[in-house]
Coordinates of all heavy atoms in Angstrom, one line a residue:
M22 N -64.0 -30.4 49.4 CA -64.9 -31.5 49.6 C -64.7 -32.5 48.5 O -64.8 -32.1 47.3 CB -66.4 -31.0 49.6 CG -67.4 -32.0 50.1 SD -69.1 -31.4 49.9 CE -69.2 -30.3 51.3
S23 N -64.6 -33.8 48.8 CA -64.4 -34.8 47.7 C -65.7 -35.1 47.1 O -66.8 -34.8 47.6 CB -63.8 -36.1 48.3 OG -64.8 -36.9 48.8
M24 N -65.7 -35.6 45.8 CA -66.9 -35.8 45.1 C -67.9 -36.7 45.8 O -69.1 -36.6 45.8 CB -66.5 -36.4 43.7 CG -67.6 -36.4 42.7 SD -68.4 -34.8 42.5 CE -67.2 -33.9 41.6
N25 N -67.3 -37.7 46.6 CA -68.1 -38.7 47.2 C -68.9 -38.1 48.4 O -69.9 -38.7 48.8 CB -67.3 -39.9 47.7 CG -67.0 -40.8 46.6 OD1 -67.7 -40.8 45.6 ND2 -65.9 -41.6 46.7
S26 N -68.4 -37.0 48.9 CA -69.1 -36.4 50.1 C -70.1 -35.4 49.8 O -70.7 -34.7 50.7 CB -68.0 -35.9 51.1 OG -67.3 -34.9 50.4
V27 N -70.4 -35.2 48.5 CA -71.4 -34.2 48.1 C -72.8 -34.8 48.5 O -73.1 -35.9 48.2 CB -71.5 -34.0 46.5 CG1 -72.6 -33.1 46.1 CG2 -70.1 -33.5 46.1
P28 N -73.6 -34.0 49.3 CA -74.9 -34.5 49.8 C -75.8 -34.8 48.7 O -75.8 -34.1 47.7 CB -75.4 -33.4 50.7 CG -74.2 -32.5 50.9 CD -73.3 -32.6 49.8
S29 N -76.7 -35.7 48.9 CA -77.7 -36.1 47.9 C -78.5 -34.9 47.4 O -78.8 -34.8 46.2 CB -78.6 -37.2 48.4 OG -79.7 -37.4 47.6
G30 N -78.9 -34.0 48.3 CA -79.7 -32.9 47.9 C -79.0 -31.9 47.0 O -79.7 -31.1 46.3
E31 N -77.7 -32.0 46.9 CA -77.0 -31.0 46.0 C -76.6 -31.7 44.7 O -76.0 -31.1 43.9 CB -75.7 -30.6 46.8 CG -76.0 -29.7 47.9 CD -74.7 -29.3 48.7 OE1 -73.6 -29.4 48.1 OE2 -74.9 -28.9 49.9
R32 N -77.0 -32.9 44.5 CA -76.8 -33.6 43.3 C -77.9 -33.5 42.3 O -79.1 -33.4 42.7 CB -76.5 -35.1 43.5 CG -75.3 -35.4 44.4 CD -75.2 -36.9 44.8 NE -73.9 -37.1 45.5 CZ -72.8 -37.4 44.9 NH1 -72.7 -37.6 43.6 NH2 -71.7 -37.6 45.6
V33 N -77.6 -33.5 41.0 CA -78.7 -33.6 40.0 C -79.2 -35.1 40.1 O -78.5 -36.0 40.1 CB -78.1 -33.3 38.6 CG1 -79.2 -33.7 37.5 CG2 -77.7 -31.9 38.5
H34 N -80.6 -35.2 40.2 CA -81.2 -36.5 40.3 C -81.7 -37.0 38.9 O -82.5 -36.2 38.3 CB -82.3 -36.6 41.3 CG -81.8 -36.6 42.7 ND1 -80.9 -35.7 43.2 CD2 -82.1 -37.5 43.7 CE1 -80.7 -36.0 44.5 NE2 -81.3 -37.1 44.8
I35 N -81.3 -38.1 38.5 CA -81.7 -38.6 37.2 C -82.5 -39.9 37.4 O -81.9 -40.9 37.9 CB -80.5 -38.9 36.2 CG1 -79.6 -37.7 36.0 CG2 -80.9 -39.5 34.9 CD1 -78.3 -37.9 35.4
G36 N -83.8 -39.8 37.2 CA -84.7 -41.0 37.5 C -85.0 -41.7 36.2 O -85.3 -41.0 35.1
I37 N -85.1 -43.0 36.2 CA -85.4 -43.7 35.0 C -86.8 -44.4 35.3 O -86.8 -45.3 36.2 CB -84.3 -44.8 34.6 CG1 -83.0 -44.1 34.5 CG2 -84.7 -45.5 33.3 CD1 -81.8 -45.0 34.5
Y38 N -87.8 -44.0 34.6 CA -89.2 -44.5 34.9 C -89.8 -45.1 33.6 O -89.5 -44.6 32.5 CB -90.1 -43.4 35.4 CG -89.6 -42.7 36.7 CD1 -88.7 -41.6 36.6 CD2 -89.9 -43.2 37.9 CE1 -88.2 -41.0 37.8 CE2 -89.4 -42.7 39.1 CZ -88.6 -41.6 39.0 OH -88.1 -41.0 40.2
G39 N -90.7 -46.0 33.7 CA -91.3 -46.6 32.6 C -92.0 -47.9 32.9 O -91.9 -48.4 34.0
K40 N -92.5 -48.5 31.9 CA -93.2 -49.8 32.0 C -92.1 -50.9 32.3 O -91.0 -50.7 32.0 CB -94.0 -50.1 30.8 CG -95.2 -49.2 30.7 CD -96.1 -49.6 29.5 CE -97.3 -48.7 29.4 NZ -98.1 -49.0 28.2
R41 N -92.6 -52.1 32.7 CA -91.7 -53.2 32.9 C -91.1 -53.6 31.5 O -91.8 -53.5 30.5 CB -92.5 -54.4 33.5 CG -92.8 -54.2 34.9 CD -93.8 -55.3 35.4 NE -95.0 -55.2 34.6 CZ -96.0 -56.1 34.7 NH1 -95.9 -57.2 35.4 NH2 -97.1 -55.9 34.0
N42 N -89.9 -54.0 31.5 CA -89.3 -54.6 30.3 C -89.0 -53.5 29.3 O -88.7 -53.8 28.1 CB -90.1 -55.7 29.7 CG -89.4 -57.0 29.7 OD1 -88.2 -57.1 30.1 ND2 -90.0 -58.0 29.2
A43 N -89.1 -52.2 29.7 CA -88.9 -51.1 28.7 C -87.4 -50.9 28.4 O -87.0 -50.3 27.4 CB -89.5 -49.8 29.2
G44 N -86.5 -51.4 29.3 CA -85.1 -51.2 29.1 C -84.5 -50.3 30.1 O -83.4 -49.7 29.9
K45 N -85.2 -50.0 31.2 CA -84.8 -49.0 32.2 C -83.4 -49.4 32.8 O -82.5 -48.6 32.9 CB -85.8 -48.8 33.3 CG -87.2 -48.4 32.8 CD -88.2 -48.2 34.0 CE -88.4 -49.5 34.7 NZ -89.0 -50.6 33.9
S46 N -83.3 -50.7 33.2 CA -82.1 -51.1 33.9 C -80.9 -51.1 32.9 O -79.8 -50.9 33.3 CB -82.3 -52.5 34.5 OG -83.3 -52.4 35.5
T47 N -81.2 -51.4 31.6 CA -80.2 -51.3 30.6 C -79.7 -49.9 30.5 O -78.5 -49.7 30.4 CB -80.8 -51.8 29.2 OG1 -81.4 -53.1 29.4 CG2 -79.8 -51.8 28.2
V48 N -80.6 -48.9 30.6 CA -80.1 -47.5 30.5 C -79.3 -47.2 31.7 O -78.3 -46.5 31.6 CB -81.4 -46.6 30.4 CG1 -81.0 -45.1 30.6 CG2 -82.1 -46.8 29.1
M49 N -79.7 -47.7 32.9 CA -79.0 -47.5 34.2 C -77.6 -48.0 34.0 O -76.6 -47.3 34.3 CB -79.7 -48.2 35.3 CG -78.9 -48.3 36.6 SD -79.1 -46.7 37.4 CE -78.5 -47.0 39.1
N50 N -77.4 -49.2 33.5 CA -76.1 -49.8 33.3 C -75.3 -49.0 32.3 O -74.0 -48.8 32.5 CB -76.2 -51.2 32.9 CG -76.7 -52.1 34.1 OD1 -76.7 -51.6 35.2 ND2 -77.2 -53.3 33.8
A51 N -75.9 -48.5 31.3 CA -75.2 -47.7 30.2 C -74.7 -46.4 30.8 O -73.6 -46.0 30.6 CB -76.1 -47.5 29.0
L52 N -75.6 -45.7 31.6 CA -75.2 -44.4 32.1 C -74.1 -44.5 33.1 O -73.2 -43.6 33.2 CB -76.5 -43.8 32.8 CG -77.6 -43.2 31.9 CD1 -78.7 -42.7 32.7 CD2 -77.0 -42.1 31.0
T53 N -74.1 -45.6 33.9 CA -73.1 -45.8 35.0 C -71.9 -46.5 34.4 O -70.8 -46.5 35.1 CB -73.6 -46.6 36.2 OG1 -74.1 -47.8 35.7 CG2 -74.8 -45.8 36.9
N54 N -72.0 -47.1 33.3 CA -70.9 -47.9 32.7 C -70.6 -49.0 33.6 O -69.4 -49.4 33.8 CB -69.7 -47.0 32.3 CG -68.8 -47.7 31.3 OD1 -69.3 -48.5 30.6 ND2 -67.6 -47.4 31.3
Q55 N -71.6 -49.5 34.4 CA -71.4 -50.6 35.3 C -72.6 -51.6 35.2 O -73.7 -51.2 34.8 CB -71.4 -50.1 36.8 CG -70.1 -49.3 37.1 CD -70.2 -48.8 38.6 OE1 -70.8 -49.5 39.4 NE2 -69.6 -47.7 38.8
N56 N -72.3 -52.8 35.6 CA -73.4 -53.8 35.7 C -74.1 -53.8 37.0 O -74.0 -54.7 37.8 CB -72.7 -55.2 35.4 CG -73.7 -56.2 35.0 OD1 -74.9 -55.9 34.6 ND2 -73.3 -57.5 35.0
I57 N -74.7 -52.6 37.3 CA -75.2 -52.4 38.6 C -76.7 -52.8 38.8 O -77.1 -53.2 39.9 CB -75.1 -50.8 38.9 CG1 -75.2 -50.5 40.4 CG2 -76.0 -50.0 38.1 CD1 -74.7 -49.2 40.7
A58 N -77.4 -52.9 37.7 CA -78.8 -53.3 37.8 C -79.0 -54.6 37.0 O -78.4 -54.7 35.9 CB -79.8 -52.2 37.2
I59 N -79.8 -55.5 37.6 CA -80.0 -56.8 36.9 C -80.9 -56.5 35.6 O -82.0 -55.9 35.7 CB -80.7 -57.8 37.8 CG1 -79.8 -58.1 39.0 CG2 -81.0 -59.1 37.0 CD1 -80.4 -59.0 40.0
V60 N -80.5 -57.1 34.5 CA -81.3 -56.9 33.3 C -81.7 -58.3 32.9 O -80.9 -59.3 32.9 CB -80.4 -56.4 32.1 CG1 -81.0 -56.5 30.8 CG2 -80.1 -54.9 32.4
S61 N -83.0 -58.5 32.5 CA -83.5 -59.7 32.0 C -84.7 -59.5 31.1 O -85.3 -58.4 31.2 CB -83.8 -60.8 33.1 OG -85.1 -60.6 33.5
D62 N -85.1 -60.5 30.4 CA -86.3 -60.3 29.5 C -87.6 -60.7 30.3 O -88.7 -60.7 29.7 CB -86.2 -61.0 28.2 CG -86.0 -62.5 28.4 OD1 -86.0 -63.0 29.5 OD2 -85.9 -63.2 27.4
I63 N -87.5 -60.9 31.6 CA -88.6 -61.2 32.4 C -89.2 -59.9 33.0 O -88.5 -59.2 33.7 CB -88.3 -62.2 33.5 CG1 -87.8 -63.5 32.9 CG2 -89.5 -62.5 34.5 CD1 -87.1 -64.5 33.9
K64 N -90.5 -59.7 32.8 CA -91.1 -58.4 33.3 C -91.0 -58.4 34.8 O -91.3 -59.4 35.5 CB -92.6 -58.4 32.9 CG -92.9 -57.9 31.6 CD -94.4 -57.9 31.4 CE -94.9 -57.2 30.1 NZ -96.3 -57.1 30.1
G65 N -90.7 -57.3 35.4 CA -90.7 -57.1 36.8 C -89.4 -57.6 37.5 O -89.3 -57.9 38.6
T66 N -88.3 -57.6 36.7 CA -87.0 -58.0 37.2 C -86.5 -57.0 38.3 O -86.0 -57.5 39.4 CB -85.9 -58.0 36.1 OG1 -86.3 -59.0 35.2 CG2 -84.5 -58.3 36.6
T67 N -86.7 -55.7 38.1 CA -86.3 -54.7 39.2 C -87.5 -54.6 40.2 O -88.6 -54.2 39.8 CB -86.0 -53.4 38.5 OG1 -85.0 -53.6 37.6 CG2 -85.5 -52.4 39.6
T68 N -87.2 -55.0 41.4 CA -88.3 -54.9 42.4 C -88.2 -53.8 43.4 O -89.1 -53.5 44.2 CB -88.4 -56.3 43.2 OG1 -87.1 -56.5 43.7 CG2 -88.7 -57.4 42.2
D69 N -87.0 -53.2 43.4 CA -86.8 -52.0 44.3 C -85.9 -51.0 43.6 O -85.2 -51.4 42.7 CB -86.1 -52.4 45.6 CG -87.0 -53.0 46.7 OD1 -87.9 -52.2 47.1 OD2 -86.8 -54.1 47.0
P70 N -86.1 -49.7 43.9 CA -85.2 -48.7 43.2 C -83.7 -49.1 43.4 O -83.3 -49.6 44.5 CB -85.5 -47.4 43.9 CG -86.9 -47.6 44.4 CD -87.0 -49.1 44.8
V71 N -82.9 -48.9 42.4 CA -81.5 -49.1 42.4 C -80.9 -47.7 42.3 O -81.1 -47.0 41.3 CB -81.0 -50.0 41.3 CG1 -79.5 -50.2 41.3 CG2 -81.7 -51.4 41.3
I72 N -80.1 -47.3 43.3 CA -79.6 -45.9 43.4 C -78.0 -45.9 43.3 O -77.4 -46.7 43.9 CB -80.0 -45.3 44.7 CG1 -81.6 -45.3 44.7 CG2 -79.5 -43.9 44.8 CD1 -82.1 -45.0 46.1
K73 N -77.5 -45.0 42.5 CA -76.1 -44.9 42.3 C -75.7 -43.4 42.3 O -76.1 -42.6 41.5 CB -75.6 -45.6 41.0 CG -74.2 -45.4 40.6 CD -73.3 -46.2 41.5 CE -71.8 -45.9 41.1 NZ -70.9 -46.5 42.0
S74 N -74.8 -43.0 43.2 CA -74.2 -41.7 43.2 C -72.9 -41.7 42.4 O -72.1 -42.7 42.6 CB -73.9 -41.2 44.6 OG -75.1 -41.1 45.3
M75 N -72.7 -40.8 41.5 CA -71.5 -40.8 40.8 C -71.2 -39.4 40.2 O -72.1 -38.5 40.3 CB -71.5 -41.8 39.6 CG -72.7 -41.5 38.7 SD -72.7 -42.8 37.3 CE -71.4 -42.2 36.3
E76 N -70.1 -39.2 39.6 CA -69.8 -38.0 38.9 C -70.0 -38.2 37.4 O -69.6 -39.2 36.8 CB -68.4 -37.5 39.1 CG -68.2 -36.1 38.6 CD -66.7 -35.6 38.6 OE1 -65.9 -36.4 39.0 OE2 -66.5 -34.5 38.2
M77 N -70.8 -37.3 36.8 CA -71.1 -37.5 35.4 C -70.8 -36.2 34.7 O -71.4 -35.1 34.9 CB -72.6 -37.8 35.2 CG -73.0 -38.0 33.7 SD -74.7 -38.4 33.5 CE -74.8 -40.1 34.0
L78 N -69.7 -36.2 33.9 CA -69.3 -35.0 33.3 C -70.1 -34.7 32.0 O -70.5 -35.7 31.4 CB -67.8 -35.1 32.9 CG -66.9 -35.1 34.1 CD1 -65.4 -35.4 33.7 CD2 -67.0 -33.8 34.9
P79 N -70.5 -33.5 31.7 CA -70.1 -32.2 32.4 C -71.0 -31.8 33.5 O -70.9 -30.7 34.0 CB -70.1 -31.2 31.2 CG -71.3 -31.7 30.4 CD -71.3 -33.2 30.5
I80 N -72.0 -32.6 33.9 CA -73.0 -32.2 34.9 C -72.4 -32.0 36.2 O -72.6 -31.1 36.9 CB -74.2 -33.2 35.0 CG1 -74.9 -33.4 33.6 CG2 -75.2 -32.8 36.0 CD1 -75.9 -34.5 33.6
G81 N -71.5 -33.0 36.6 CA -70.9 -33.0 38.0 C -71.5 -34.2 38.8 O -71.9 -35.2 38.2
P82 N -71.7 -34.0 40.1 CA -72.2 -35.0 40.9 C -73.7 -35.3 40.7 O -74.5 -34.4 40.6 CB -72.0 -34.6 42.4 CG -71.7 -33.1 42.3 CD -71.3 -32.8 40.9
V83 N -74.1 -36.6 40.4 CA -75.5 -36.9 40.2 C -75.8 -38.1 41.0 O -75.0 -38.8 41.5 CB -75.7 -37.3 38.7 CG1 -75.3 -36.1 37.8 CG2 -74.9 -38.5 38.3
V84 N -77.2 -38.3 41.1 CA -77.7 -39.6 41.6 C -78.6 -40.2 40.5 O -79.4 -39.5 40.0 CB -78.6 -39.4 42.9 CG1 -79.1 -40.7 43.4 CG2 -77.8 -38.7 44.0
I85 N -78.3 -41.4 40.2 CA -79.1 -42.1 39.1 C -80.0 -43.1 39.8 O -79.5 -43.9 40.6 CB -78.2 -42.7 38.0 CG1 -77.2 -41.7 37.5 CG2 -79.0 -43.3 36.9 CD1 -76.3 -42.2 36.4
I86 N -81.2 -43.1 39.4 CA -82.2 -44.0 40.1 C -82.9 -44.9 39.0 O -83.6 -44.3 38.2 CB -83.2 -43.3 40.9 CG1 -82.5 -42.3 41.9 CG2 -84.1 -44.2 41.7 CD1 -83.3 -41.1 42.2
D87 N -82.7 -46.2 39.1 CA -83.5 -47.1 38.3 C -84.7 -47.6 39.1 O -84.5 -47.8 40.3 CB -82.6 -48.3 37.9 CG -83.3 -49.4 37.1 OD1 -84.3 -49.0 36.4 OD2 -82.9 -50.5 37.2
T88 N -85.8 -47.7 38.5 CA -87.0 -48.0 39.3 C -87.8 -49.2 38.7 O -87.6 -49.6 37.5 CB -88.0 -46.8 39.3 OG1 -88.3 -46.5 37.9 CG2 -87.4 -45.6 39.9
P89 N -88.6 -49.9 39.5 CA -89.5 -50.9 39.0 C -90.5 -50.4 38.0 O -90.7 -49.2 38.0 CB -90.2 -51.5 40.3 CG -89.4 -51.0 41.4 CD -88.8 -49.7 41.0
G90 N -91.1 -51.3 37.2 CA -92.0 -50.8 36.2 C -93.3 -50.2 36.8 O -93.8 -50.7 37.8
I91 N -93.7 -49.1 36.2 CA -94.9 -48.4 36.7 C -96.2 -49.1 36.4 O -97.3 -48.8 36.8 CB -94.9 -47.0 36.1 CG1 -95.8 -46.0 36.9 CG2 -95.3 -47.0 34.6 CD1 -95.1 -45.5 38.1
D92 N -96.1 -50.2 35.6 CA -97.3 -51.0 35.2 C -97.3 -52.3 35.9 O -98.1 -53.3 35.5 CB -97.3 -51.2 33.7 CG -96.1 -52.1 33.2 OD1 -95.1 -52.1 34.0 OD2 -96.2 -52.7 32.1
D93 N -96.6 -52.5 37.0 CA -96.5 -53.7 37.8 C -97.9 -54.0 38.3 O -98.7 -53.1 38.6 CB -95.4 -53.7 38.9 CG -94.8 -55.1 39.1 OD1 -95.5 -56.1 38.9 OD2 -93.7 -55.1 39.6
E94 N -98.2 -55.3 38.5 CA -99.6 -55.6 39.0 C -99.5 -56.7 40.1 O -98.5 -57.3 40.4 CB -100.4 -56.1 37.8 CG -99.7 -57.1 36.9 CD -100.3 -57.2 35.5 OE1 -101.1 -56.3 35.1 OE2 -100.0 -58.2 34.8
G95 N -100.7 -57.0 40.6 CA -100.8 -58.0 41.7 C -100.5 -57.3 43.0 O -100.2 -56.1 43.1
E96 N -100.6 -58.0 44.1 CA -100.5 -57.5 45.4 C -99.1 -56.8 45.6 O -99.0 -55.6 46.0 CB -100.6 -58.6 46.5 CG -101.2 -58.1 47.8 CD -101.4 -59.2 48.8 OE1 -102.0 -60.2 48.3 OE2 -101.1 -59.1 49.9
L97 N -98.0 -57.5 45.3 CA -96.7 -57.0 45.4 C -96.4 -55.9 44.4 O -95.8 -54.9 44.7 CB -95.6 -58.1 45.2 CG -95.3 -58.9 46.5 CD1 -94.3 -60.0 46.1 CD2 -94.6 -58.0 47.5
G98 N -96.9 -56.1 43.2 CA -96.7 -55.2 42.1 C -97.3 -53.8 42.5 O -96.6 -52.8 42.2
E99 N -98.4 -53.8 43.1 CA -99.1 -52.5 43.5 C -98.2 -51.8 44.5 O -98.1 -50.6 44.5 CB -100.5 -52.7 44.0 CG -101.4 -53.0 42.8 CD -102.8 -53.5 43.3 OE1 -103.2 -53.3 44.5 OE2 -103.5 -54.0 42.4
L100 N -97.6 -52.6 45.4 CA -96.7 -51.9 46.4 C -95.5 -51.3 45.7 O -95.0 -50.2 46.0 CB -96.2 -53.0 47.4 CG -97.3 -53.5 48.4 CD1 -96.7 -54.6 49.2 CD2 -97.9 -52.4 49.2
R101 N -95.0 -52.0 44.7 CA -93.9 -51.5 43.9 C -94.2 -50.2 43.2 O -93.5 -49.2 43.2 CB -93.3 -52.5 42.9 CG -92.7 -53.7 43.6 CD -92.2 -54.7 42.6 NE -91.9 -55.9 43.2 CZ -92.3 -57.1 42.9 NH1 -93.1 -57.3 41.9 NH2 -92.0 -58.2 43.6
V102 N -95.4 -50.2 42.6 CA -95.9 -49.0 41.9 C -96.0 -47.8 42.8 O -95.6 -46.7 42.5 CB -97.2 -49.3 41.2 CG1 -97.8 -48.0 40.6 CG2 -97.1 -50.3 40.1
K103 N -96.5 -48.1 44.0 CA -96.6 -47.0 45.0 C -95.3 -46.4 45.3 O -95.1 -45.2 45.5 CB -97.3 -47.5 46.3 CG -98.8 -47.6 46.2 CD -99.4 -48.0 47.5 CE -100.9 -48.3 47.3 NZ -101.4 -49.2 48.4
K104 N -94.3 -47.4 45.4 CA -92.9 -46.9 45.8 C -92.3 -46.1 44.6 O -91.7 -45.1 44.9 CB -92.1 -48.2 46.0 CG -90.8 -47.9 46.8 CD -90.3 -49.2 47.3 CE -89.2 -48.9 48.4 NZ -88.7 -50.1 49.0
V105 N -92.6 -46.5 43.4 CA -92.1 -45.7 42.3 C -92.7 -44.3 42.3 O -92.1 -43.3 42.0 CB -92.4 -46.4 40.9 CG1 -92.0 -45.6 39.8 CG2 -91.7 -47.8 40.9
I106 N -94.0 -44.2 42.5 CA -94.7 -43.0 42.5 C -94.2 -42.1 43.6 O -93.9 -40.9 43.4 CB -96.3 -43.1 42.7 CG1 -96.8 -43.8 41.4 CG2 -97.0 -41.8 42.9 CD1 -98.2 -44.3 41.5
R107 N -93.9 -42.6 44.8 CA -93.3 -41.9 45.9 C -92.0 -41.3 45.5 O -91.6 -40.2 45.8 CB -93.2 -42.7 47.2 CG -94.5 -42.8 48.0 CD -94.2 -43.2 49.4 NE -93.7 -44.5 49.5 CZ -94.4 -45.6 49.6 NH1 -95.7 -45.5 49.7 NH2 -93.9 -46.8 49.7
C108 N -91.2 -42.2 44.8 CA -89.8 -41.8 44.4 C -89.9 -40.7 43.4 O -89.2 -39.7 43.4 CB -89.2 -43.1 43.7 SG -87.5 -42.9 43.3
L109 N -90.9 -40.7 42.5 CA -91.1 -39.7 41.4 C -91.5 -38.4 42.1 O -91.0 -37.3 41.8 CB -92.2 -40.2 40.4 CG -92.5 -39.3 39.2 CD1 -91.2 -39.0 38.4 CD2 -93.5 -40.0 38.4
I110 N -92.5 -38.4 43.0 CA -92.9 -37.2 43.7 C -91.8 -36.6 44.5 O -91.6 -35.4 44.4 CB -94.1 -37.5 44.6 CG1 -95.4 -37.9 43.8 CG2 -94.4 -36.4 45.5 CD1 -96.5 -38.4 44.5
R111 N -91.0 -37.4 45.2 CA -89.9 -36.9 45.9 C -88.9 -36.2 45.0 O -88.4 -35.1 45.3 CB -89.2 -38.0 46.7 CG -88.5 -37.6 47.9 CD -87.8 -38.8 48.7 NE -88.7 -39.9 48.9 CZ -88.4 -41.2 48.5 NH1 -87.4 -41.4 47.8 NH2 -89.3 -42.1 48.8
Q112 N -88.7 -36.8 43.8 CA -87.8 -36.2 42.8 C -88.3 -34.9 42.3 O -87.5 -33.9 42.1 CB -87.5 -37.2 41.7 CG -86.4 -36.8 40.9 CD -86.0 -37.9 39.9 OE1 -86.5 -39.0 39.9 NE2 -85.1 -37.6 39.0
I113 N -89.6 -34.8 42.0 CA -90.2 -33.6 41.5 C -90.1 -32.5 42.5 O -89.8 -31.3 42.2 CB -91.7 -33.8 41.1 CG1 -91.7 -34.8 39.8 CG2 -92.4 -32.5 40.8 CD1 -93.1 -35.3 39.5
L114 N -90.3 -32.8 43.8 CA -90.4 -31.8 44.8 C -89.0 -31.3 45.3 O -88.9 -30.3 45.9 CB -91.2 -32.3 46.1 CG -92.6 -32.6 45.8 CD1 -93.3 -33.1 47.1 CD2 -93.4 -31.3 45.4
Q115 N -88.0 -32.1 44.9 CA -86.6 -31.8 45.3 C -86.1 -30.5 44.9 O -86.4 -30.0 43.8 CB -85.7 -32.9 44.8 CG -84.5 -33.1 45.8 CD -83.3 -33.4 45.0 OE1 -83.3 -33.5 43.8 NE2 -82.2 -33.6 45.7
Ligands
GTP5 N1 -83.9 -55.0 21.3 C1 -83.5 -54.3 22.4 N2 -83.7 -54.9 23.5 C2 -83.4 -54.2 24.6 C3 -82.9 -52.8 24.6 N3 -82.7 -52.4 25.9 C4 -83.0 -53.4 26.6 N4 -83.4 -54.5 25.9 C5 -83.8 -55.8 26.4 O1 -85.0 -55.7 27.0 C6 -85.2 -56.6 28.1 C7 -85.6 -55.8 29.4 O2 -84.5 -55.0 29.7 P1 -84.4 -54.3 31.2 O3 -83.3 -53.3 31.1 O4 -84.2 -55.4 32.2 O5 -85.8 -53.7 31.3 P2 -86.5 -52.9 32.6 O6 -87.3 -51.8 32.1 O7 -85.4 -52.6 33.6 O8 -87.4 -54.1 33.1 P3 -88.1 -54.2 34.6 O9 -87.0 -54.3 35.6 O10 -88.9 -55.5 34.5 O11 -89.0 -53.1 34.8 C8 -83.8 -57.3 28.3 O12 -83.9 -58.6 27.6 C9 -82.9 -56.3 27.5 O13 -81.7 -57.0 27.0 C10 -82.8 -52.2 23.3 O14 -82.5 -51.0 23.2 N5 -83.1 -53.0 22.2
MG6 MG1 -85.2 -53.2 35.6

């Protein structure tokens, strides 16, 4: 089986959680060595989870998930926070 066909459930999931502007997307880009998540100094830049499957030695196949800030606010912000919490619970239960 090639590395790309490893099912998500068999991969180690690495989630990046925290407040807005904490540097989560910067960590995502550093871990993947790619410019995959938008980084800016404006709070709330990441509005949806950014997911990347890859091989990370020595762990093996992983899924890395960058998430919106857990302190987002307003009508849309609260929807984002709910999404982050769902993502976190799914990861814990996995
Ligand atoms: N000084 C310093 N700045 C950093 C560091 N990591 C990230 N930054 C800066 O902090 C700002 C926010 O970085 P992001 O990676 O976009 O932060 P985020 O947590 O993804 O932000 P949201 O998407 O809004 O939740 C950017 O201007 C980054 O360049 C760090 O280690 N040191
Ligand atoms: Mg971000």
Side-chain angles (χ1 to χ4, degrees):
M22 191 186 285
S23 83
M24 194 50 74
N25 281 339
S26 61
V27 177
S29 169
E31 291 176 20
R32 294 172 177 270
V33 172
H34 283 55
I35 302 170
I37 306 168
Y38 300 93
K40 293 182 178 176
R41 288 169 297 171
N42 242 358
K45 300 180 299 298
S46 298
T47 305
V48 171
M49 172 78 167
N50 290 343
L52 287 176
T53 57
N54 201 25
Q55 288 179 33
N56 199 13
I57 195 165
I59 298 173
V60 167
S61 90
D62 59 3
I63 297 167
K64 276 184 172 184
T66 295
T67 304
T68 55
D69 277 300
V71 178
I72 300 168
K73 170 75 181 171
S74 295
M75 60 180 284
E76 191 188 2
M77 183 181 281
L78 295 173
I80 301 173
V83 301
V84 179
I85 306 180
I86 308 153
D87 177 29
T88 59
I91 199 79
D92 63 340
D93 210 335
E94 49 200 11
E96 206 175 318
L97 272 178
E99 283 171 18
L100 292 177
R101 290 180 194 128
V102 170
K103 280 184 188 160
K104 200 163 194 177
V105 175
I106 291 169
R107 276 201 296 272
C108 187
L109 184 57
I110 290 171
R111 208 179 307 123
Q112 192 171 354
I113 290 168
L114 294 179
Q115 209 216 0

